[in-house]
Amino acid sequence: NAGVTQTPKFRVLKTGQSMTLLCAQDMNHEYMYWYRQDPGMGLRLIHYSVGEGTTAKGEVPDGYNVSRLKKQNFLLGLESAAPSQTSVYFCASSQQGAGGYTFGSGTRLTVV
Amino acid sequence: AQSVTQLDSQVPVFEEAPVELRCNYSSSVSVYLFWYVQYPNQGLQLLLKYLSGSTLVKGINGFEAEFNKSQTSFHLRKPSVHISDTAEYFCAVSDVGFQKLVFGTGTRLLVSP
């Protein structure tokens, strides 16, 4: 089925460890996004991309890096994980215009 | 920059009763408005969107929303809720350039028998 796939679905990290979250979409969407969801705070934009090879900072970019080397993939990296990065991370994609987002099912990350 | 306020963090309601979830936005430019639903342990699904035209927008699962420019509101309504409507609902706004969405903090709808 067409959509947005996030891997992994769950991960536990120790403080200071690094990891990469992968987002893949097969809808040929131009735009891709990484959000984090925390209780009572809704979804906050970390980074986004409006096309292959481009990235931009969102509302809460500190501690994260991203890359969009291929149009269908958007990677989110944590270089040195901190407990404050414990969250549920959602990837989304959209076509140009205002069609709305298609979301992945999320990655639940715990940093201990 | 845009912002969204969802004043109600939780709305309890009985099955078959009507419900309204409130959303107010702030923007200095024209906007697009969206409602998303999130069922437990799932991603977000688009319920409905307002881009232009009629201010009353109908979505999936019997939901509708009305865009009120003068009150900068986009409230979500359903005339009769079901147990299966229990979920978290997010209002979101973007400018008409539509590079990114700004989400509200969400409203948890709790439907009981």
Side-chain angles (χ1 to χ4, degrees), chain A residues 35 43 59 101, chain B residues 2-4 91-94 100-104:
Chain A
Y35 284 84
L43 280 81
E59 182 185 358
Y101 289 3
Chain B
Q2 293 82 36
S3 66
V4 176
C91 182
V93 63
S94 77
K100 55 186 184 293
L101 287 178
V102 174
F103 287 85

Side-chain angles (χ1 to χ4, degrees), chain B:
Chain B
Q2 293 82 36
S3 66
V4 176
T5 301
Q6 294 182 248
L7 289 172
D8 304 307
S9 60
Q10 190 165 290
V11 173
V13 64
F14 289 110
E15 194 174 19
E16 297 183 5
V19 70
E20 178 179 85
L21 306 184
R22 297 181 294 169
C23 172
N24 288 89
Y25 70 93
S26 173
S27 177
S28 59
V29 298
S30 296
V31 297
Y32 295 144
L33 293 156
F34 303 79
W35 275 99
Y36 284 83
V37 60
Q38 184 181 33
Y39 298 104
N41 299 312
Q42 295 186 25
L44 281 74
Q45 302 174 29
L46 181 65
L47 266 182
L48 50 79
K49 60 186 177 184
Y50 171 79
L51 305 181
S52 64
S54 173
T55 57
L56 183 62
V57 179
K58 294 190 182 297
I60 62 171
N61 300 339
F63 284 93
E64 63 182 31
E66 186 158 19
F67 171 57
N68 188 319
K69 188 174 182 179
S70 63
Q71 297 188 6
T72 60
S73 67
F74 191 54
H75 301 330
L76 181 70
R77 301 185 183 100
K78 187 170 183 178
S80 176
V81 296
H82 302 290
I83 297 286
S84 59
D85 292 324
T86 294
E88 189 148 22
Y89 293 79
F90 292 93
C91 182
V93 63
S94 77
D95 63 26
V96 294
F98 191 64
Q99 283 203 343
K100 55 186 184 293
L101 287 178
V102 174
F103 287 85
T105 53
T107 297
R108 188 171 299 276
L109 177 63
L110 299 171
V111 183
S112 54

Side-chain angles (χ1 to χ4, degrees), chain A residues 96-112:
Chain A
Q96 285 179 293
Y101 289 3
T102 300
F103 278 88
S105 57
T107 296
R108 187 173 296 274
L109 175 66
T110 302
V111 182
V112 298

Side-chain angles (χ1 to χ4, degrees), chain A residues 81-98:
Chain A
S84 61
Q85 294 177 304
T86 293
S87 187
V88 180
Y89 292 85
F90 285 99
C91 178
S93 70
S94 72
Q95 195 49 283
Q96 285 179 293

Side-chain angles (χ1 to χ4, degrees), chain A residues 50-64:
Chain A
V50 298
E52 181 178 317
T54 75
T55 62
K57 293 181 180 180
E59 182 185 358
V60 289
D62 294 342
Y64 304 95

